[in-house]
Amino acid sequence: MASLLGTSPKAIRSFEQVGTTFRRILKTAALLPAAEVCISEDSASGGNIRDCSSEGEDPVSHVHPSWKLRFFHGRLETFNSLSSLKGSRSMHVFRPVYIVFALVGLILVARTILVPADFGIQESGYMYGWYRKANEKEWKDFALKYRGKEYCADCHAEQDQQIGSSRHQAIECENCHGPGREHPSDPPKLDLDRTRELCLRCHTFLAYPTSKRSEIKGLDPDRHNPGAECVACHDPHRAAKPG
Amino acid sequence: MDRRSFLKAALRGSAALILAEGIGDILRPASIHASPKPLRWVFLVDTYKCIGCGFCVKACKIENEVPFEANVSRTWVERYILTKDGAVFADTPQEARNGFTSRLIDLGEGRVKDIPQEKIDKAFFVPKLCNQCEKPPCVQVCPVGATYKTAEGVTLVDRKWCIGCGYCIMACPYGMRFFHPLLHVAEKCTFCYHRIQKELKPACVQACPAGARRIGNIKDPQDPVTQIIMTQRVSIHKPEYGTNPQVYFIGLSEEVR
Protein backbone atom coordinates (compact mmCIF):
# COMPACT_ATOMS: atom_id res chain seq x y z
CA MET A 1 0.00 0.00 0.00
CA ALA A 2 2.83 2.36 0.92
CA SER A 3 4.50 1.95 -2.44
CA LEU A 4 1.14 2.33 -4.12
CA LEU A 5 0.69 5.67 -2.49
CA GLY A 6 4.13 6.62 -3.75
CA THR A 7 6.42 6.88 -0.73
CA SER A 8 9.42 5.12 -2.25
CA PRO A 9 12.47 7.38 -2.93
CA LYS A 10 11.81 6.98 -6.63
CA ALA A 11 8.28 8.17 -6.19
CA ILE A 12 9.37 11.05 -4.00
CA ARG A 13 11.60 12.19 -6.84
CA SER A 14 8.68 12.03 -9.22
CA PHE A 15 6.61 14.01 -6.73
CA GLU A 16 9.29 16.66 -6.74
CA GLN A 17 8.98 16.78 -10.49
CA VAL A 18 5.24 17.08 -10.15
CA GLY A 19 5.83 19.95 -7.75
CA THR A 20 8.02 21.68 -10.31
CA THR A 21 5.35 21.18 -12.95
CA PHE A 22 2.73 22.55 -10.59
CA ARG A 23 4.83 25.67 -9.99
CA ARG A 24 5.07 26.06 -13.75
CA ILE A 25 1.30 25.75 -14.12
CA LEU A 26 0.88 28.42 -11.46
CA LYS A 27 3.22 30.68 -13.33
CA THR A 28 1.36 30.22 -16.59
CA ALA A 29 -2.00 30.59 -14.90
CA ALA A 30 -0.79 33.93 -13.59
CA LEU A 31 -0.59 34.92 -17.25
CA LEU A 32 3.03 35.96 -17.27
CA PRO A 33 4.29 37.25 -20.57
CA ALA A 34 4.77 34.17 -22.70
CA ALA A 35 8.34 35.01 -23.59
CA GLU A 36 9.29 35.22 -19.92
CA VAL A 37 7.64 31.86 -19.23
CA CYS A 38 9.51 30.39 -22.09
CA ILE A 39 12.88 31.38 -20.66
CA SER A 40 12.13 30.30 -17.10
CA GLU A 41 10.82 26.95 -18.29
CA ASP A 42 14.07 26.27 -20.04
CA SER A 43 16.13 26.86 -16.94
CA ALA A 44 13.77 24.95 -14.62
CA SER A 45 13.54 21.82 -16.68
CA GLY A 46 17.23 21.23 -16.21
CA GLY A 47 18.74 22.02 -19.56
CA ASN A 48 15.91 20.58 -21.56
CA ILE A 49 16.34 23.20 -24.21
CA ARG A 50 13.50 24.04 -26.47
CA ASP A 51 13.52 26.70 -29.08
CA CYS A 52 10.87 29.21 -28.23
CA SER A 53 10.89 30.36 -31.79
CA SER A 54 10.07 26.83 -32.98
CA GLU A 55 6.41 27.91 -33.35
CA GLY A 56 7.67 30.14 -36.13
CA GLU A 57 7.49 33.31 -34.10
CA ASP A 58 10.04 35.67 -32.75
CA PRO A 59 10.17 35.50 -28.90
CA VAL A 60 9.46 39.19 -28.76
CA SER A 61 6.25 38.73 -30.70
CA HIS A 62 4.92 36.54 -27.80
CA VAL A 63 4.21 39.75 -25.95
CA HIS A 64 1.03 40.23 -27.81
CA PRO A 65 -1.52 42.89 -26.88
CA SER A 66 -4.21 40.18 -26.77
CA TRP A 67 -4.57 38.40 -23.35
CA LYS A 68 -6.07 35.38 -25.03
CA LEU A 69 -3.04 34.74 -27.15
CA ARG A 70 -0.68 35.14 -24.22
CA PHE A 71 -2.69 32.65 -22.19
CA PHE A 72 -2.64 30.18 -25.06
CA HIS A 73 1.14 30.33 -25.32
CA GLY A 74 1.50 29.82 -21.61
CA ARG A 75 -0.62 26.66 -21.78
CA LEU A 76 1.37 25.34 -24.67
CA GLU A 77 4.59 25.78 -22.72
CA THR A 78 3.23 23.84 -19.76
CA PHE A 79 2.13 21.02 -22.02
CA ASN A 80 5.59 20.86 -23.54
CA SER A 81 7.32 20.72 -20.19
CA LEU A 82 4.92 18.03 -18.89
CA SER A 83 5.55 15.77 -21.87
CA SER A 84 9.28 16.31 -21.56
CA LEU A 85 9.39 14.71 -18.05
CA LYS A 86 11.37 11.49 -17.95
CA GLY A 87 9.35 8.38 -18.90
CA SER A 88 5.86 7.69 -17.51
CA ARG A 89 6.87 8.01 -13.84
CA SER A 90 4.78 11.15 -13.52
CA MET A 91 1.62 9.01 -13.86
CA HIS A 92 2.13 7.79 -10.24
CA VAL A 93 0.06 10.74 -9.23
CA PHE A 94 -3.07 8.98 -10.54
CA ARG A 95 -2.66 5.90 -8.33
CA PRO A 96 -4.87 7.21 -5.48
CA VAL A 97 -7.52 7.93 -8.10
CA TYR A 98 -7.43 4.30 -9.24
CA ILE A 99 -7.80 3.20 -5.62
CA VAL A 100 -10.86 5.43 -5.22
CA PHE A 101 -12.40 3.97 -8.39
CA ALA A 102 -11.73 0.43 -7.18
CA LEU A 103 -13.26 1.19 -3.77
CA VAL A 104 -16.39 2.73 -5.30
CA GLY A 105 -16.75 -0.33 -7.55
CA LEU A 106 -16.32 -2.65 -4.58
CA ILE A 107 -18.96 -0.77 -2.56
CA LEU A 108 -21.42 -0.92 -5.47
CA VAL A 109 -20.89 -4.68 -5.85
CA ALA A 110 -21.24 -5.24 -2.09
CA ARG A 111 -24.41 -3.15 -2.08
CA THR A 112 -26.14 -5.31 -4.68
CA ILE A 113 -25.36 -8.39 -2.56
CA LEU A 114 -26.16 -6.99 0.91
CA VAL A 115 -29.16 -4.73 0.26
CA PRO A 116 -32.38 -6.71 -0.31
CA ALA A 117 -34.31 -6.16 -3.52
CA ASP A 118 -37.36 -4.78 -1.69
CA PHE A 119 -35.36 -2.01 0.00
CA GLY A 120 -36.13 1.35 -1.56
CA ILE A 121 -38.80 3.99 -2.02
CA GLN A 122 -42.25 2.67 -1.05
CA GLU A 123 -45.79 4.10 -1.16
CA SER A 124 -45.30 6.90 1.39
CA GLY A 125 -42.69 8.58 -0.78
CA TYR A 126 -39.02 9.39 -0.90
CA MET A 127 -38.84 11.34 2.35
CA TYR A 128 -40.78 9.02 4.69
CA GLY A 129 -41.00 5.76 2.78
CA TRP A 130 -37.39 4.65 2.30
CA TYR A 131 -37.32 1.18 3.83
CA ARG A 132 -37.35 -2.59 3.55
CA LYS A 133 -40.87 -3.58 2.50
CA ALA A 134 -40.67 -7.06 4.07
CA ASN A 135 -40.50 -5.46 7.52
CA GLU A 136 -44.21 -4.59 7.33
CA LYS A 137 -44.97 -8.31 7.19
CA GLU A 138 -42.68 -8.96 10.14
CA TRP A 139 -44.67 -6.48 12.23
CA LYS A 140 -48.00 -7.93 11.06
CA ASP A 141 -46.88 -11.37 12.23
CA PHE A 142 -46.09 -10.13 15.75
CA ALA A 143 -47.73 -12.46 18.29
CA LEU A 144 -51.06 -11.50 19.86
CA LYS A 145 -51.34 -11.61 23.65
CA TYR A 146 -54.62 -9.95 24.53
CA ARG A 147 -57.58 -11.82 23.01
CA GLY A 148 -60.49 -9.76 24.28
CA LYS A 149 -63.69 -10.49 26.19
CA GLU A 150 -65.38 -12.38 23.35
CA TYR A 151 -62.56 -14.92 23.27
CA CYS A 152 -63.01 -15.57 27.01
CA ALA A 153 -66.81 -15.69 26.77
CA ASP A 154 -66.66 -18.60 24.31
CA CYS A 155 -65.92 -20.96 27.23
CA HIS A 156 -66.53 -18.89 30.38
CA ALA A 157 -70.02 -17.72 29.48
CA GLU A 158 -71.27 -17.82 33.09
CA GLN A 159 -68.56 -15.51 34.41
CA ASP A 160 -68.97 -13.25 31.40
CA GLN A 161 -72.67 -12.86 32.14
CA GLN A 162 -71.94 -12.31 35.82
CA ILE A 163 -69.50 -9.47 35.28
CA GLY A 164 -71.55 -8.16 32.36
CA SER A 165 -74.43 -7.39 34.73
CA SER A 166 -72.18 -5.83 37.37
CA ARG A 167 -70.66 -2.42 37.70
CA HIS A 168 -67.40 -3.84 36.41
CA GLN A 169 -68.84 -4.62 32.98
CA ALA A 170 -66.48 -2.22 31.22
CA ILE A 171 -63.41 -3.99 32.55
CA GLU A 172 -61.72 -6.52 30.29
CA CYS A 173 -61.21 -10.00 31.76
CA GLU A 174 -57.54 -9.87 30.84
CA ASN A 175 -56.95 -6.65 32.79
CA CYS A 176 -57.04 -8.71 35.99
CA HIS A 177 -56.64 -12.30 34.78
CA GLY A 178 -53.67 -11.56 32.55
CA PRO A 179 -53.27 -11.93 28.80
CA GLY A 180 -55.01 -14.96 27.31
CA ARG A 181 -52.41 -15.67 24.62
CA GLU A 182 -53.17 -19.23 23.39
CA HIS A 183 -55.11 -20.26 26.49
CA PRO A 184 -56.18 -23.00 27.21
CA SER A 185 -53.21 -24.67 25.48
CA ASP A 186 -50.61 -22.02 26.30
CA PRO A 187 -50.76 -21.01 29.11
CA PRO A 188 -53.07 -23.64 30.63
CA LYS A 189 -53.68 -21.39 33.66
CA LEU A 190 -53.71 -17.61 33.57
CA ASP A 191 -51.79 -15.46 36.04
CA LEU A 192 -54.59 -13.80 38.02
CA ASP A 193 -53.63 -10.62 39.87
CA ARG A 194 -55.37 -10.70 43.27
CA THR A 195 -53.36 -7.89 44.83
CA ARG A 196 -54.79 -4.88 46.63
CA GLU A 197 -52.76 -2.68 44.25
CA LEU A 198 -54.80 -3.86 41.28
CA CYS A 199 -58.05 -2.62 42.83
CA LEU A 200 -56.41 0.59 43.99
CA ARG A 201 -55.68 1.52 40.36
CA CYS A 202 -59.24 2.80 40.25
CA HIS A 203 -60.43 2.76 43.86
CA THR A 204 -57.89 5.01 45.55
CA PHE A 205 -59.98 8.09 46.04
CA LEU A 206 -58.53 11.07 44.20
CA ALA A 207 -60.55 14.25 44.63
CA TYR A 208 -59.94 15.63 41.18
CA PRO A 209 -62.81 17.92 40.25
CA THR A 210 -62.19 17.93 36.49
CA SER A 211 -61.67 14.18 36.12
CA LYS A 212 -64.02 11.20 36.07
CA ARG A 213 -61.75 9.60 38.63
CA SER A 214 -63.47 11.45 41.47
CA GLU A 215 -66.80 9.90 40.44
CA ILE A 216 -65.58 6.36 41.14
CA LYS A 217 -66.34 4.95 44.57
CA GLY A 218 -62.98 5.28 46.24
CA LEU A 219 -61.22 5.05 49.57
CA ASP A 220 -58.06 6.07 51.33
CA PRO A 221 -55.84 2.95 51.12
CA ASP A 222 -54.01 3.94 54.32
CA ARG A 223 -57.22 3.86 56.35
CA HIS A 224 -59.43 1.18 54.77
CA ASN A 225 -58.07 -2.17 56.06
CA PRO A 226 -54.46 -1.46 55.08
CA GLY A 227 -52.56 -4.53 53.93
CA ALA A 228 -55.64 -6.70 53.37
CA GLU A 229 -56.56 -8.21 50.01
CA CYS A 230 -59.75 -6.60 48.73
CA VAL A 231 -60.97 -9.90 47.22
CA ALA A 232 -61.09 -11.39 50.72
CA CYS A 233 -64.34 -9.44 51.26
CA HIS A 234 -65.41 -8.08 47.85
CA ASP A 235 -66.29 -10.13 44.76
CA PRO A 236 -65.15 -8.15 41.73
CA HIS A 237 -67.53 -10.11 39.47
CA ARG A 238 -70.50 -8.99 41.55
CA ALA A 239 -69.76 -5.32 42.03
CA ALA A 240 -73.10 -3.71 42.80
CA LYS A 241 -74.93 -2.21 39.84
CA PRO A 242 -75.68 1.47 40.25
CA GLY A 243 -79.12 1.94 41.67
CA MET B 1 -9.53 25.16 -21.19
CA ASP B 2 -9.88 28.90 -21.53
CA ARG B 3 -11.71 31.14 -19.14
CA ARG B 4 -14.86 31.26 -21.26
CA SER B 5 -15.26 27.50 -21.48
CA PHE B 6 -14.47 27.15 -17.76
CA LEU B 7 -17.21 29.61 -16.86
CA LYS B 8 -19.62 27.82 -19.19
CA ALA B 9 -18.84 24.45 -17.61
CA ALA B 10 -19.25 25.91 -14.11
CA LEU B 11 -22.63 27.35 -15.03
CA ARG B 12 -23.80 24.04 -16.48
CA GLY B 13 -22.52 22.19 -13.43
CA SER B 14 -24.39 24.37 -10.95
CA ALA B 15 -27.56 24.14 -13.05
CA ALA B 16 -27.28 20.35 -12.92
CA LEU B 17 -26.82 20.46 -9.13
CA ILE B 18 -29.91 22.64 -8.69
CA LEU B 19 -31.94 20.22 -10.82
CA ALA B 20 -30.62 17.23 -8.87
CA GLU B 21 -31.93 18.87 -5.69
CA GLY B 22 -35.45 18.49 -7.06
CA ILE B 23 -35.04 14.83 -8.04
CA GLY B 24 -36.74 13.71 -4.81
CA ASP B 25 -39.94 15.36 -5.99
CA ILE B 26 -39.72 13.96 -9.49
CA LEU B 27 -39.16 10.41 -8.23
CA ARG B 28 -41.88 10.45 -5.55
CA PRO B 29 -43.82 7.28 -6.30
CA ALA B 30 -46.78 8.12 -4.08
CA SER B 31 -47.92 10.69 -6.61
CA ILE B 32 -47.52 8.16 -9.42
CA HIS B 33 -48.93 5.08 -7.68
CA ALA B 34 -51.63 6.66 -5.55
CA SER B 35 -52.51 4.33 -2.69
CA PRO B 36 -55.51 2.23 -3.70
CA LYS B 37 -56.51 1.71 -0.04
CA PRO B 38 -58.19 4.79 1.41
CA LEU B 39 -56.86 4.19 4.93
CA ARG B 40 -55.11 6.45 7.42
CA TRP B 41 -55.03 5.42 11.09
CA VAL B 42 -55.70 8.14 13.64
CA PHE B 43 -56.18 8.12 17.40
CA LEU B 44 -58.56 9.99 19.65
CA VAL B 45 -57.86 10.55 23.35
CA ASP B 46 -60.60 11.91 25.60
CA THR B 47 -58.82 13.33 28.63
CA TYR B 48 -62.15 13.93 30.40
CA LYS B 49 -62.79 10.19 30.48
CA CYS B 50 -59.38 9.00 31.62
CA ILE B 51 -59.39 7.81 35.24
CA GLY B 52 -55.68 7.07 35.53
CA CYS B 53 -55.99 3.32 36.14
CA GLY B 54 -52.98 2.58 33.92
CA PHE B 55 -54.46 -0.61 32.46
CA CYS B 56 -53.51 0.73 29.02
CA VAL B 57 -49.84 0.92 29.97
CA LYS B 58 -49.91 -2.58 31.46
CA ALA B 59 -51.62 -4.04 28.38
CA CYS B 60 -49.25 -2.22 26.01
CA LYS B 61 -46.11 -3.41 27.75
CA ILE B 62 -47.25 -7.03 27.82
CA GLU B 63 -48.70 -7.03 24.31
CA ASN B 64 -45.61 -5.48 22.76
CA GLU B 65 -43.02 -7.31 24.88
CA VAL B 66 -41.55 -4.22 26.51
CA PRO B 67 -40.00 -5.41 29.83
CA PHE B 68 -42.61 -4.59 32.47
CA GLU B 69 -40.28 -3.52 35.28
CA ALA B 70 -38.11 -1.31 33.04
CA ASN B 71 -38.92 2.40 33.28
CA VAL B 72 -39.62 2.78 29.57
CA SER B 73 -42.94 2.48 27.80
CA ARG B 74 -44.57 3.02 24.43
CA THR B 75 -47.49 4.73 26.12
CA TRP B 76 -47.98 6.31 29.50
CA VAL B 77 -50.42 8.41 31.50
CA GLU B 78 -49.60 11.79 32.98
CA ARG B 79 -51.33 13.42 35.93
CA TYR B 80 -51.67 17.19 36.00
CA ILE B 81 -52.59 19.13 39.09
CA LEU B 82 -53.18 22.87 38.81
CA THR B 83 -53.43 24.56 42.18
CA LYS B 84 -55.43 27.65 43.04
CA ASP B 85 -52.22 29.65 43.51
CA GLY B 86 -51.20 28.98 39.89
CA ALA B 87 -48.68 26.17 40.37
CA VAL B 88 -48.63 23.22 37.94
CA PHE B 89 -47.59 19.75 39.04
CA ALA B 90 -47.23 16.83 36.66
CA ASP B 91 -46.10 13.28 37.25
CA THR B 92 -46.20 9.82 35.76
CA PRO B 93 -44.93 7.39 38.40
CA GLN B 94 -43.31 4.46 36.51
CA GLU B 95 -45.22 5.57 33.38
CA ALA B 96 -48.38 4.75 35.39
CA ARG B 97 -47.97 1.06 34.59
CA ASN B 98 -49.47 0.37 38.00
CA GLY B 99 -51.90 3.28 37.74
CA PHE B 100 -52.27 6.19 40.14
CA THR B 101 -52.81 4.58 43.51
CA SER B 102 -51.69 7.49 45.67
CA ARG B 103 -52.60 11.12 45.97
CA LEU B 104 -48.94 11.99 46.52
CA ILE B 105 -47.33 13.72 43.53
CA ASP B 106 -44.06 12.15 42.44
CA LEU B 107 -41.55 15.02 42.15
CA GLY B 108 -38.71 12.71 41.20
CA GLU B 109 -35.58 11.64 43.11
CA GLY B 110 -37.77 10.05 45.75
CA ARG B 111 -39.50 13.30 46.73
CA VAL B 112 -43.27 13.44 46.91
CA LYS B 113 -45.77 16.21 47.52
CA ASP B 114 -49.22 16.04 49.01
CA ILE B 115 -51.60 18.68 47.75
CA PRO B 116 -54.68 19.16 49.91
CA GLN B 117 -58.00 18.82 48.14
CA GLU B 118 -59.09 22.40 48.83
CA LYS B 119 -56.02 23.79 47.02
CA ILE B 120 -56.67 21.91 43.78
CA ASP B 121 -58.15 24.01 41.01
CA LYS B 122 -58.01 21.47 38.17
CA ALA B 123 -56.66 17.94 38.07
CA PHE B 124 -56.79 15.46 35.23
CA PHE B 125 -55.03 12.59 33.48
CA VAL B 126 -53.55 12.68 29.98
CA PRO B 127 -52.71 9.42 28.23
CA LYS B 128 -49.87 9.79 25.75
CA LEU B 129 -48.70 7.68 22.84
CA CYS B 130 -46.91 8.11 19.55
CA ASN B 131 -48.60 10.76 17.42
CA GLN B 132 -47.90 8.85 14.18
CA CYS B 133 -47.12 12.22 12.57
CA GLU B 134 -47.93 12.91 8.97
CA LYS B 135 -44.45 14.48 8.74
CA PRO B 136 -42.45 12.39 11.22
CA PRO B 137 -39.11 14.01 12.09
CA CYS B 138 -37.90 10.70 13.54
CA VAL B 139 -38.11 9.15 10.06
CA GLN B 140 -36.28 12.01 8.38
CA VAL B 141 -33.22 11.69 10.59
CA CYS B 142 -32.77 7.91 10.27
CA PRO B 143 -29.46 7.43 8.42
CA VAL B 144 -30.13 3.82 7.37
CA GLY B 145 -33.82 3.69 6.39
CA ALA B 146 -34.72 1.62 9.46
CA THR B 147 -37.72 3.71 10.49
CA TYR B 148 -40.43 4.56 8.04
CA LYS B 149 -44.03 5.59 7.56
CA THR B 150 -46.29 2.92 6.10
CA ALA B 151 -48.96 3.69 3.51
CA GLU B 152 -51.54 3.59 6.35
CA GLY B 153 -49.70 6.37 8.18
CA VAL B 154 -48.16 4.33 11.01
CA THR B 155 -44.44 4.84 11.65
CA LEU B 156 -42.58 1.60 12.31
CA VAL B 157 -39.00 0.59 13.16
CA ASP B 158 -37.24 -2.16 11.23
CA ARG B 159 -35.48 -3.96 14.09
CA LYS B 160 -33.14 -5.81 11.73
CA TRP B 161 -32.11 -2.56 10.05
CA CYS B 162 -31.78 -0.28 13.09
CA ILE B 163 -28.17 0.41 14.08
CA GLY B 164 -29.12 2.02 17.40
CA CYS B 165 -27.64 5.45 16.68
CA GLY B 166 -30.43 7.17 18.61
CA TYR B 167 -30.99 10.06 16.18
CA CYS B 168 -34.73 9.33 16.06
CA ILE B 169 -34.96 9.35 19.86
CA MET B 170 -33.44 12.84 19.88
CA ALA B 171 -35.54 14.02 16.94
CA CYS B 172 -38.99 13.21 18.35
CA PRO B 173 -40.41 16.41 19.87
CA TYR B 174 -42.78 14.30 21.99
CA GLY B 175 -40.20 11.99 23.56
CA MET B 176 -42.12 8.94 22.37
CA ARG B 177 -39.10 6.88 21.37
CA PHE B 178 -36.67 4.97 23.56
CA PHE B 179 -34.15 2.16 23.38
CA HIS B 180 -35.57 -1.30 23.81
CA PRO B 181 -33.72 -2.49 26.93
CA LEU B 182 -33.19 -6.02 25.58
CA LEU B 183 -33.04 -5.62 21.80
CA HIS B 184 -30.98 -2.38 21.83
CA VAL B 185 -32.89 -0.88 18.93
CA ALA B 186 -35.18 2.14 18.75
CA GLU B 187 -38.65 1.33 20.06
CA LYS B 188 -41.95 3.14 19.65
CA CYS B 189 -45.72 2.79 19.63
CA THR B 190 -47.00 1.12 16.46
CA PHE B 191 -50.76 1.61 17.16
CA CYS B 192 -50.43 -2.19 17.68
CA TYR B 193 -49.83 -2.65 13.95
CA HIS B 194 -50.21 -6.43 14.26
CA ARG B 195 -53.64 -6.02 15.87
CA ILE B 196 -55.18 -3.30 13.70
CA GLN B 197 -54.26 -5.34 10.61
CA LYS B 198 -56.48 -8.13 11.98
CA GLU B 199 -59.29 -5.63 12.68
CA LEU B 200 -58.62 -5.82 16.41
CA LYS B 201 -58.30 -2.75 18.59
CA PRO B 202 -54.86 -1.77 19.89
CA ALA B 203 -54.12 -3.34 23.29
CA CYS B 204 -54.43 -0.01 25.11
CA VAL B 205 -57.79 0.76 23.49
CA GLN B 206 -59.17 -2.66 24.40
CA ALA B 207 -57.90 -2.45 27.98
CA CYS B 208 -59.30 1.02 28.67
CA PRO B 209 -62.41 0.65 30.89
CA ALA B 210 -63.31 4.33 30.51
CA GLY B 211 -63.38 4.65 26.71
CA ALA B 212 -60.73 7.35 26.81
CA ARG B 213 -58.77 5.85 23.94
CA ARG B 214 -60.15 5.21 20.46
CA ILE B 215 -58.68 4.41 17.09
CA GLY B 216 -60.16 5.19 13.70
CA ASN B 217 -59.65 5.70 10.00
CA ILE B 218 -59.65 9.39 9.06
CA LYS B 219 -60.33 8.54 5.39
CA ASP B 220 -63.66 6.90 6.26
CA PRO B 221 -66.37 9.55 6.72
CA GLN B 222 -68.63 7.02 8.50
CA ASP B 223 -66.03 6.25 11.17
CA PRO B 224 -67.28 7.57 14.56
CA VAL B 225 -63.75 8.74 15.46
CA THR B 226 -63.49 10.62 12.16
CA GLN B 227 -66.85 12.23 12.79
CA ILE B 228 -65.72 13.46 16.21
CA ILE B 229 -62.44 14.81 14.82
CA MET B 230 -64.21 16.55 11.95
CA THR B 231 -67.12 18.03 13.88
CA GLN B 232 -66.00 18.53 17.47
CA ARG B 233 -63.35 20.63 19.17
CA VAL B 234 -60.17 18.62 19.24
CA SER B 235 -56.55 19.64 19.53
CA ILE B 236 -53.16 18.17 18.79
CA HIS B 237 -49.98 18.04 20.77
CA LYS B 238 -47.28 20.69 19.99
CA PRO B 239 -48.61 21.91 16.63
CA GLU B 240 -45.77 24.47 16.44
CA TYR B 241 -43.34 21.72 15.43
CA GLY B 242 -45.08 21.26 12.08
CA THR B 243 -45.10 17.48 12.43
CA ASN B 244 -48.84 17.22 11.76
CA PRO B 245 -49.55 14.70 14.57
CA GLN B 246 -52.47 12.30 14.10
CA VAL B 247 -53.38 11.70 17.74
CA TYR B 248 -56.24 14.04 18.56
CA PHE B 249 -57.14 15.08 22.09
CA ILE B 250 -60.37 16.20 23.64
CA GLY B 251 -59.83 18.52 26.61
CA LEU B 252 -56.12 19.07 26.15
CA SER B 253 -55.02 21.94 28.37
CA GLU B 254 -52.20 24.38 27.64
CA GLU B 255 -50.31 23.12 30.69
CA VAL B 256 -49.88 19.73 28.99
CA ARG B 257 -46.48 19.47 27.32
Side-chain angles (χ1 to χ4, degrees):
Chain A
M1 198 66 187
S3 66
L4 267 176
L5 289 169
T7 47
S8 70
K10 227 176 172 183
I12 289 168
R13 264 204 306 285
S14 74
F15 267 125
E16 279 167 0
Q17 281 173 345
V18 169
T20 318
T21 315
F22 192 64
R23 278 196 293 279
R24 279 186 202 125
I25 293 169
L26 282 180
K27 273 183 189 172
T28 40
L31 295 175
L32 296 164
E36 201 187 310
V37 173
C38 190
I39 294 156
S40 66
E41 295 297 345
D42 288 346
S43 56
S45 57
N48 186 9
I49 298 153
R50 284 184 312 285
D51 189 2
C52 284
S53 60
S54 65
E55 290 121 35
E57 281 178 41
D58 188 61
V60 185
S61 72
H62 281 279
V63 190
H64 196 274
S66 158
W67 277 85
K68 197 177 170 182
L69 198 63
R70 280 201 289 174
F71 184 68
F72 174 75
H73 278 292
R75 299 292 300 167
L76 195 70
E77 276 304 315
T78 315
F79 180 75
N80 285 342
S81 53
L82 261 176
S83 58
S84 70
L85 287 170
K86 284 169 218 162
S88 59
R89 218 183 288 162
S90 63
M91 300 309 273
H92 284 187
V93 75
F94 291 115
R95 282 188 176 169
V97 181
Y98 300 149
I99 294 168
V100 168
F101 273 115
L103 276 175
V104 169
L106 199 71
I107 289 166
L108 287 176
V109 169
R111 196 185 182 280
T112 53
I113 298 163
L114 294 173
V115 178
D118 62 344
F119 187 91
I121 304 171
Q122 318 291 356
E123 290 98 316
S124 40
Y126 179 74
M127 193 180 278
Y128 302 114
W130 175 256
Y131 64 101
R132 191 169 59 95
K133 186 76 178 164
N135 184 242
E136 281 183 18
K137 176 96 175 42
E138 288 164 25
W139 275 114
K140 283 174 193 172
D141 293 343
F142 200 79
L144 275 178
K145 280 90 184 175
Y146 282 84
R147 308 305 296 256
K149 230 172 194 175
E150 293 74 22
Y151 182 80
C152 310
D154 275 354
C155 304
H156 305 283
E158 195 190 322
Q159 286 90 334
D160 179 62
Q161 211 183 353
Q162 212 173 47
I163 198 164
S165 56
S166 84
R167 224 174 174 178
H168 279 161
Q169 58 182 314
I171 294 172
E172 281 284 322
C173 314
E174 290 164 305
N175 280 0
C176 309
H177 288 268
R181 300 177 203 262
E182 299 301 320
H183 178 78
S185 63
D186 174 39
K189 199 164 160 50
L190 295 189
D191 185 21
L192 173 59
D193 188 351
R194 291 174 178 275
T195 61
R196 184 177 168 88
E197 283 67 35
L198 183 96
C199 307
L200 292 179
R201 281 170 176 261
C202 300
H203 292 291
T204 296
F205 181 69
L206 298 174
Y208 296 161
T210 52
S211 169
K212 290 268 183 213
R213 176 65 175 254
S214 54
E215 294 172 18
I216 297 171
K217 201 173 170 185
L219 49 85
D220 184 344
D222 297 331
R223 288 191 189 168
H224 185 90
N225 303 322
E229 270 188 4
C230 313
V231 289
C233 309
H234 306 275
D235 182 354
H237 285 191
R238 291 176 202 273
K241 266 293 244 194
Chain B
M1 182 185 275
D2 62 11
R3 190 181 298 194
R4 182 177 294 264
S5 55
F6 170 76
L7 287 173
K8 275 183 180 170
L11 210 64
R12 286 199 193 106
S14 28
L17 279 176
I18 292 162
L19 275 176
E21 185 81 357
I23 273 178
D25 288 333
I26 298 161
L27 292 180
R28 184 169 294 162
S31 54
I32 306 162
H33 311 285
S35 169
K37 268 198 291 182
L39 174 63
R40 207 303 176 194
W41 295 112
V42 292
F43 210 90
L44 182 64
V45 175
D46 190 340
T47 61
Y48 289 112
K49 288 182 180 167
C50 182
I51 54 168
C53 66
F55 277 132
C56 52
V57 184
K58 180 190 176 189
C60 173
K61 292 194 102 169
I62 293 170
E63 178 73 32
N64 295 297
E65 296 173 16
V66 177
F68 196 79
E69 293 304 324
N71 286 337
V72 286
S73 184
R74 291 180 172 200
T75 185
W76 64 88
V77 183
E78 291 173 0
R79 166 169 59 182
Y80 285 83
I81 295 185
L82 284 55
T83 61
K84 284 184 173 142
D85 49 12
V88 179
F89 296 94
D91 72 339
T92 171
Q94 296 175 322
E95 300 83 44
R97 61 176 181 254
N98 295 315
F100 291 87
T101 55
S102 168
R103 60 198 197 111
L104 300 174
I105 307 287
D106 182 9
L107 298 175
E109 294 163 352
R111 294 173 297 132
V112 290
K113 186 172 175 69
D114 188 9
I115 299 168
Q117 189 180 336
E118 61 275 11
K119 280 199 175 172
I120 296 172
D121 195 12
K122 294 180 190 173
F124 50 89
F125 299 100
V126 181
K128 285 191 174 174
L129 72 163
C130 173
N131 286 290
Q132 311 292 1
C133 303
E134 192 58 25
K135 295 177 182 173
C138 54
V139 174
Q140 281 186 37
V141 298
C142 181
V144 294
T147 184
Y148 57 94
K149 202 179 85 177
T150 64
E152 305 100 320
V154 177
T155 295
L156 299 176
V157 179
D158 186 340
R159 286 176 169 177
K160 284 185 189 158
W161 228 240
C162 178
I163 57 170
C165 70
Y167 284 4
C168 54
I169 297 169
M170 300 309 289
C172 177
Y174 309 103
M176 294 298 163
R177 283 175 173 252
F178 57 96
F179 270 116
H180 195 289
L182 302 177
L183 302 169
H184 304 297
V185 292
E187 177 77 358
K188 73 180 285 297
C189 163
T190 61
F191 274 3
C192 280
Y193 195 66
H194 58 296
R195 296 178 65 91
I196 55 179
Q197 294 296 329
K198 300 180 181 81
E199 298 192 356
L200 294 167
K201 288 175 187 168
C204 61
V205 176
Q206 185 173 282
C208 181
R213 290 169 175 257
R214 299 170 81 178
I215 191 161
N217 171 17
I218 195 87
K219 298 270 182 82
D220 177 8
Q222 302 305 313
D223 192 307
V225 169
T226 304
Q227 286 177 348
I228 290 172
I229 292 169
M230 295 314 208
T231 59
Q232 296 189 21
R233 285 160 292 182
V234 293
S235 51
I236 51 171
H237 201 195
K238 296 183 184 173
E240 65 274 18
Y241 281 87
T243 54
N244 204 349
Q246 296 302 309
V247 173
Y248 294 86
F249 288 86
I250 297 172
L252 197 64
S253 186
E254 63 166 344
E255 290 83 8
V256 178
R257 299 191 197 285

